Amino acid sequence: MSGADRFLRTTAGVAVARREIPALPVAELADAVVTACDGGLRVAAWFGVPRPSGVELVAVLADDARAGIALARATLTGPAFPSRAAACPQLHLFERELAEQFGLVAEGHPAPAPVRSQPPLVAPAAGAPAPALPGTGELYRVEGQEVHEVGVGPVHAGVIEPGHFRFQCHGEQVFHLEIRLGYQHRGVERALIGGPDRRTIHYLETSAGDTTIGHATAGCELIEALAGTAAPPRGAALRAIALELERLANHTGDLGALAGDVGYLPTASFCGRIRGDFLNLSAELCGSRFGRGLVRPGGSGFDLEPARRERLRAGLDRTFTDARSAIELLWESSSVMERFETTGVVPREDALALGLVGPAARASGVDRDLRRDHPGGAYRDQSMAVATAASGDVHARARVRWLEMEHSLAFLHATLAALPEGEVRVPVGRLAPESLAVSLVEGWRGEICHVALTDRAGRFARYKIVDPSFHNWSGLARALRGGQISDFPLCNKSFNLSYCGHDL
Amino acid sequence: MIRLLRARLHQGHRTFAYPDGPPPPLPDRFRGRPLLAPERCRDGCRDCVEVCPTEAISLSPAIAIDLGRCLFCAECAAACPEGAITWGGDHRLAVRRREELQVSAERELALATALDERLRRLFGRSLKLRQVSAGGCNACEADVNVLSTLAWDIGRFGIRIVASPRHADGLIVTGPVSENMRLALRKTYDAVAPPKIVIAIGACAIAGGPYLGHPEVAGGAGAVVPVDLWVPGCPPHPLTMLDGMLRLLGRLESAGESR
C-alpha cells in the first residue's frame, strides 16, 4: 500500500482545497496510481484540468474497504504523459480520453484510439481539422485466411442509441470485438465549465436520460459539498426513493429485454408494461416518468405528502407483484436458462482488472456497491443488502438484477415508513473557490462518479462525469471474446450500457 | 407451464382502450401544455426569461413560449411572482409546422393536421418507422419503445418500428443531432424509399434541447432532414407521441375525438 501514502485521504461528498491535494511529478503519480490499485484501490476518475501552464492531471481513487477516496495530482507541461494502461488495464480508457480531450500523447499505450471523436476540451486552434468520425480510421484487425470481419452500426436494428461494433470472427467464434463510440457526443463536459448556471441541472439530467436521478443526484451532492451544505433528511430520502424507483424500472426493462432476446415472450411483454408502471410511480412523485425536476441542488423539487405516499406504496406493491410474477418465470424455464447460463462469461479477475462496476461487476463475484461502501444521503441511515453472483455470465447479470430489485423494494418500504419530517429543500449558497469535491452514487448501471474543481470565483474550472458505462464497455468486449457472434445481442442486453453517458 | 398460465391470468389484458375509450390517467404533477396569462405580467419583469435554460420565453409583444425549445422544467412558473405561467395537464402538443410551437395567450396551439390524401391512403393503416437516435439521452428513445409494449400497442394502428430504413415509410428522430451522427442520419433518411415522413420527437430533436447552441450538435432534426411532425417535451409523454402520430394519420377524428 505504499503508493497510497502519496495521496490525500478524504471521502466522497466533502470539499477539499485544491492546494491540499499532493502534487507529484507526472511519472510518480502514474506509478502511485498503479501501486495503489495493486493494493486494492480502484480508479474512479483520472482526467485533466485545463491550466494556463499546461494540463493538471487529477487522480481520484476509490478505497472501498475504508469508505474513502484518495486524491493526487500532477502538472503536465509537455505534449505527452506516460501510459500505465498495460500494468493497470482499468486506466486504458481514461488515458485515451485524457489524450483526446487535451491533444496529448499517451506514451506506451497499448491501444491508443479516439474515445469519442471529440474536439479538444479547451478551444481548439483556429483552423484545426474536425476530428474524424467515430468508427473510421484504423481499427484492430485479425488477419488470416478464414478470418472475417463484421461491422455493425452506428444505426442498429432496435430503438437504441448509436455505436459501432467491429467483430473479428472465425466462423461463429468471436476472436475480438472492438467498440467505437462517440456518436452521441454533444459537449456536456465542455459546457459545464463556468457553471453552475441555469443549464447545469439539465446537463446533469440528460447526461444519461435513463439515469436522470442518478446523475442529477451525483451532481447535486457535489454542488452541495462545494457550497458547504447538504440536502435536508427528507429531501435526501426522496432522492433515494427516486433512485431506487429508477433502478426498479430499468432492471425490469432489462430482464424483459433479455427474455425477448432469447425468444421468451411472456416475460418480455409483461416486463415491457411493468417497466412503464414503475416509471409512472416516478411521475406520481414529480410529474415526469424519468424523474425530471425531482433532484435539485439543496434537496428535492417535490414533497411527498401523506396521501401521495400511500398511493406510491400501493402502486409499488401492485407493480412489484406483477414484476415478480413475470420475472420468476425466467428461472423456471429451461430454454431460457440454457441460453443464459455460460453465455458471455467475464471471470472475476478480469472484472477486477477492467475495473467493472455495478451489476456487471457483482455478477462476476466482485462485491462492490457504493450504497454500502460509500453511502451518501439517505443510504447513511438505511443499510442496503448487496447482491452478488459468481458465474459472471448472462444468467448472473440477470439474477443480480432481480435480487437487487428485491433489495430495492425492502429499502423503499423502510424509507417510506420512516420518512423524515421537515423541509425537502434548502437554499444553496456560492461554491467554495479553488476547491475539489467528488460524489459517488450507485446508479442502476453502477458507479456514477462526478468530480468538480472550482476556480477563484467559485465557478466550475472543470466538471468530470464518469458514467458506469465508461468502465463497463470493456467488460462487454471481454464477454464476447471466444463467444459466438450470434450471442452478441444477448450479451449486449445483459450489460445494457449507455452510449450517451459514455459519449457525453 | 401451470405457472406460466397462472402468470398470464394474473397479468390480464392491459392494452389501453384509448383512443376508443378514455386516455390513460396522467399524474396530477404532469406538466403538459402551459397556460399563459399575459395580463398578469408586470411591466419590465423578466424573471421567467432569466431562469429559462433554453431561451424559450419571449415577452414582446406579450409573453410567449416556444414549446419546441421548452424542457417543461417549470422553472418559469416557479420564478413568476404573479402566476402568469401555470402548467396544465393537456398532453396534446404535437404540430405539423415548427413555428406553430410558438404559443401565447393570443395564439393557441394548432394541433397536428392529417397528412394529405395521397399519403394518408398510403400510410393511414400501415406506417412503418425507423428510429434514429442522434445524440439523444435515451429518455425519448425509451418512451418511443414504450409505444410498442402491450399497454400502448401501436401495432393496433398499423404503426410499427422496423429494423431497417429500407423497410420503413419514415423516420423517428430523437436527439439534437450530434455532428458525429449527422452523416448517419442523412444516410438513413436517404435509404428510406419515397414518399417518406419524418417525426421529430423531443426538445432536442426540435431545437437542440439543453444542447441548444452547442457546436457539437446540428440543433435538431430539421437541420438535416425535412420534418413532418414535431412532438415537444423532455421527453414527451408516450400519450403525447401517440396523439401526434394518430393526428398525422387522421385517426383521431375517426375515433370521435373533436379537435
Side-chain angles (χ1 to χ4, degrees), chain B residues 5-258:
Chain B
L5 290 171
R6 202 181 295 147
R8 179 69 193 82
L9 280 174
H10 169 80
Q11 302 285 347
H13 175 81
R14 302 293 187 114
T15 306
F16 300 131
Y18 176 84
D20 297 327
L26 295 170
D28 58 331
R29 284 173 173 168
F30 172 74
R31 296 179 288 281
R33 195 187 304 186
L35 307 167
L36 303 175
E39 67 282 2
R40 295 190 172 201
C41 288
R42 286 192 307 212
D43 279 349
C45 173
R46 295 177 51 81
D47 290 357
C48 55
V49 173
E50 258 135 46
V51 297
C52 179
T54 51
E55 294 104 54
I57 304 175
S58 55
L59 292 174
S60 73
I63 183 166
I65 300 184
D66 179 355
L67 290 185
R69 287 187 171 198
C70 182
L71 303 182
F72 293 75
C73 66
E75 290 291 337
C76 51
C80 179
E82 305 295 334
I85 308 172
T86 48
W87 289 79
D90 191 345
H91 66 272
R92 299 168 305 164
L93 298 167
V95 301
R96 293 293 307 276
R97 292 187 310 150
R98 172 69 182 88
E99 56 274 22
E100 282 164 353
L101 290 172
Q102 187 77 18
V103 297
S104 62
E106 303 272 88
R107 200 177 137 177
E108 259 303 295
L109 202 59
L111 292 175
T113 51
L115 292 166
D116 67 41
E117 194 50 36
R118 186 180 67 108
L119 289 180
R120 231 171 111 175
R121 284 173 65 102
L122 276 171
F123 301 146
R125 289 196 284 177
S126 169
L127 178 65
K128 306 288 182 266
L129 297 165
R130 166 70 247 196
Q131 201 274 338
V132 180
S133 170
C137 76
N138 207 27
C140 287
E141 291 80 356
D143 263 353
V144 168
N145 248 333
V146 156
L147 293 176
S148 298
T149 64
L150 51 84
W152 298 88
D153 189 19
I154 48 170
R156 294 180 286 160
F157 313 106
I159 308 172
R160 198 153 67 86
I161 312 285
V162 294
S164 167
R166 298 282 189 207
H167 303 160
D169 304 311
L171 301 181
I172 291 176
V173 182
T174 52
V177 187
S178 47
E179 286 299 334
N180 285 351
M181 269 304 282
R182 185 193 277 266
L183 177 65
L185 172 59
R186 186 70 220 180
K187 282 186 173 181
T188 309
Y189 178 79
D190 289 343
V192 178
K196 50 190 160 187
I197 62 167
V198 174
I199 302 174
I201 288 188
C204 284
I206 297 173
Y211 308 100
L212 177 84
H214 280 210
E216 294 89 348
V217 305
V224 182
V225 292
V227 176
D228 300 281
L229 183 70
W230 308 83
V231 187
C234 187
H237 195 278
L239 189 56
T240 305
M241 301 181 194
L242 181 59
D243 171 77
M245 290 187 202
L246 294 181
R247 282 175 199 285
L248 190 68
L249 298 179
R251 298 195 56 150
L252 278 187
E253 295 91 331
S254 59
E257 202 221 50
S258 66

Side-chain angles (χ1 to χ4, degrees), chain A residues 285-349:
Chain A
L285 214 52
C286 68
S288 157
R289 285 156 59 87
F290 292 85
R292 301 284 159 88
L294 185 104
V295 181
R296 285 293 179 269
S300 163
F302 294 89
D303 200 358
L304 186 65
E305 61 275 23
R308 193 178 301 275
R309 174 164 69 167
E310 291 321 304
R311 285 207 298 278
L312 190 61
R313 275 174 157 170
L316 184 61
D317 280 333
R318 197 171 53 241
T319 310
F320 203 90
T321 305
D322 289 354
R324 183 185 297 281
S325 133
I327 292 164
E328 287 194 333
L329 294 175
L330 288 176
W331 325 123
E332 293 163 10
S333 163
S334 52
S335 65
V336 170
M337 288 300 99
E338 208 283 319
R339 291 284 285 118
F340 279 14
E341 284 168 357
T342 70
T343 303
V345 175
V346 179
R348 182 170 189 272
E349 55 272 28

